[in-house]
Amino acid sequence: MQTLSTPIKAAITELTTTQHEPFYLYDLDKLAQHLQSINDQSIVKLWYAVKANPLSSIIQTLDNAGFDFDVASSGELKQVLSQGIDAKRVLNTGPAKSKRQIEEFLSLGVTTFVAESVNQVIWLQDAARRHDTQLRILLRVQLRWPNNEKNPLGGDSLTPFGLGAQAWSALCLSDYPNLDFAGLHIFQWGNLLDASKLTSLWQQMVEPLVALAGQLNMTLRILDLGGGLGIPYNHQQAPIDWQAILSSLEQFKVQTNIEELWMELGRYAVGECGYYANPVIEQKQNYGTRQLIMAGGINHLLRPAVTGQAFPASCLRSSQAATASFALHGPLCTALDSLGEHQLPDDINEHDWLVFSQCGAYGFTESMPYFLCHALPAEYTYQAGEVRCARSSLTPQAYLR
């Protein structure tokens, strides 16, 4: 996990001279460099999970890096298409594909889908027949594991994603002549940093997935492993070893005799390029705990309340003061509005700004921005030494009707 670079710190500092509300800044140079480093290989096809950050400039940077796009809603699809990206480069995932949404996606040219249920298979076949077209389909499989591991994506918990292997095994693929069943999709863990653990999980998937393909008389040409690659959120964590991941995937590909491996990267693709700048309202002590009350909280940055893991935070101003432990709270009238505990200079005051890093993924668009009618944060990009405003801060008067 990196500290603020000198150009980014200078850009954020300059913005704080005119901004009074929290804002985001995305380092597109850093993003492009990272994307090139992970996509310069031929082992796995990389898709970008748009849910991580749908900002236009982020999508454009992924497009320039050769990624295709995983979308899970009509809104995400239209945002991707509005960047001039061909619908043939879109993969439709997500558990809630209605008949109406399927029809809309086909009308806009999407031809690759992950089916999450038998109903979706039927609806995809009906829509494909009406459009007189062939669709490429992956069946999403949900496996159960003996170690009962939990994870925000499900792990061993029952989730709405896909069906178990036994449920899928009853499907007769020949009943759906307009659907090319190209492979399987499996993704149950998120934000893993241990390459060996991820490899072990993949290895456990081989036997049940290959067995399912055999039961379905499916030629398993494509196996989509989803994402799950994490980024460190504290200084004790080390980044995941991408080269070790590639080595494992290469072996996995040979072992399963599969033509293509796919992954849909979100956090690992864009997480480290984003920063959230947040003004301090006040410092106070409460029952022996030092607290900082911030202008923004889970209305702009929800992840800590969902996962119990905070984004890294640092003081924008340089300070020689000793550090102390602070509990950070946002402005909302709920105890859920916590941004975690952080070691920060003990002279922080109401004139200071904190900068939260690793915020390129699951930041603003995952938040709950309308609660208590606070301003929406502005979003800026940094590229080649220039700061651009992607969206200005919006007051409640601008978004309430």
Side-chain angles (χ1 to χ4, degrees):
M1 186 166 54
Q2 301 178 359
T3 57
L4 286 180
S5 68
T6 299
I8 291 299
K9 184 172 183 177
I12 293 175
T13 301
E14 178 65 24
L15 285 169
T16 63
T17 63
T18 57
Q19 300 300 305
H20 305 289
E21 299 287 349
F23 61 87
Y24 281 88
L25 177 73
Y26 306 105
D27 185 347
L28 299 183
D29 293 331
K30 180 178 181 180
L31 176 59
Q33 183 178 14
H34 170 63
L35 296 176
Q36 181 179 6
S37 71
I38 63 175
N39 207 26
D40 186 19
Q41 45 81 25
S42 58
I43 296 169
V44 57
K45 176 179 175 59
L46 299 180
W47 303 75
Y48 174 54
V50 176
K51 65 182 179 180
N53 190 328
L55 197 70
S56 296
S57 56
I58 297 288
I59 291 175
Q60 291 162 10
T61 306
L62 270 293
D63 181 28
N64 292 336
F67 278 64
D68 287 346
F69 296 87
D70 155 27
V71 307
S73 71
S74 295
E76 287 186 347
L77 173 61
K78 290 172 183 176
Q79 169 67 346
V80 168
L81 297 182
S82 70
Q83 311 309 313
I85 293 163
D86 193 316
K88 297 295 189 294
R89 294 173 54 202
V90 168
L91 167 68
N92 182 206
T93 62
K97 299 180 188 72
S98 65
K99 292 179 182 178
R100 177 178 294 182
Q101 178 178 303
I102 289 170
E103 181 67 29
E104 180 181 25
F105 273 57
L106 265 68
S107 298
L108 292 172
V110 177
T111 58
T112 305
F113 294 81
V114 172
E116 309 265 354
S117 68
V118 175
N119 283 330
Q120 288 185 13
V121 171
I122 295 170
W123 299 341
L124 286 161
Q125 165 60 29
D126 290 345
R129 186 179 63 249
R130 286 195 304 274
H131 285 258
D132 191 24
T133 189
Q134 288 284 123
L135 302 179
R136 181 169 55 172
I137 305 296
L138 276 65
L139 303 179
R140 181 159 185 173
V141 183
Q142 184 176 156
L143 298 177
R144 305 305 294 269
W145 304 90
N147 61 1
N148 211 29
E149 184 170 343
K150 305 302 179 188
N151 186 277
L153 279 173
D156 191 44
S157 302
L158 181 65
T159 73
F161 303 113
L163 292 174
Q166 184 175 359
W168 278 129
S169 66
L171 193 70
C172 181
L173 304 191
S174 61
D175 290 343
Y176 309 95
N178 292 81
L179 305 184
D180 171 20
F181 293 94
L184 302 174
H185 182 291
I186 177 78
F187 179 29
Q188 294 180 219
W189 281 268
N191 199 37
L192 294 182
L193 290 169
D194 186 339
S196 62
K197 181 175 183 179
L198 198 51
T199 299
S200 175
L201 290 170
W202 289 334
Q203 291 294 338
Q204 293 176 63
M205 297 171 187
V206 173
E207 185 176 347
L209 294 177
V210 170
L212 174 59
Q215 290 172 327
L216 292 169
N217 292 317
M218 171 195 289
T219 300
L220 191 54
R221 308 195 310 270
I222 299 170
L223 182 57
D224 187 336
L225 297 170
L229 278 67
I231 59 175
Y233 285 96
N234 64 61
H235 294 288
Q236 286 73 46
Q237 295 176 321
I240 196 166
D241 186 339
W242 175 246
Q243 293 305 315
I245 291 293
L246 289 180
S247 178
S248 297
L249 289 175
E250 190 169 30
Q251 295 175 19
F252 193 65
K253 200 171 182 179
V254 172
Q255 180 182 355
T256 55
N257 196 31
I258 290 171
E259 294 176 18
E260 294 185 52
L261 288 177
W262 291 0
M263 293 191 76
E264 299 135 16
L265 302 183
R267 185 194 326 270
Y268 187 71
V270 302
E272 295 188 315
C273 80
Y275 307 89
Y276 172 65
N278 194 357
V280 176
I281 300 297
E282 66 167 321
Q283 177 189 157
K284 66 180 184 181
Q285 290 205 27
N286 195 7
Y287 287 98
T289 297
R290 302 182 79 159
Q291 297 176 303
L292 290 181
I293 312 302
M294 308 299 300
I298 61 175
N299 54 324
H300 297 166
L301 209 60
L302 183 63
R303 185 181 186 277
V306 173
T307 66
Q309 187 175 47
F311 287 86
S314 61
C315 184
L316 180 61
R317 168 180 59 88
S318 297
S319 173
Q320 300 303 313
T323 59
S325 180
F326 288 91
L328 273 55
H329 305 271
L332 305 185
C333 297
T334 169
L336 292 173
D337 195 6
S338 169
L339 297 177
E341 292 193 9
H342 300 267
Q343 293 292 319
L344 297 164
D346 66 6
D347 64 347
I348 283 181
N349 58 61
E350 68 273 16
H351 302 295
D352 281 316
W353 288 70
L354 298 187
V355 179
F356 295 79
S357 57
Q358 311 294 76
C359 294
Y362 306 117
F364 174 61
T365 56
E366 193 189 39
S367 63
M368 43 186 296
Y370 301 112
F371 189 36
L372 263 70
C373 301
H374 285 281
L376 306 188
E379 290 186 287
Y380 295 91
T381 61
Y382 176 88
Q383 188 172 35
E386 185 176 352
V387 174
R388 294 185 176 90
C389 181
R391 189 194 66 246
S392 299
S393 176
L394 292 179
T395 66
Q397 291 71 37
Y399 64 75
L400 292 178
R401 294 292 184 268

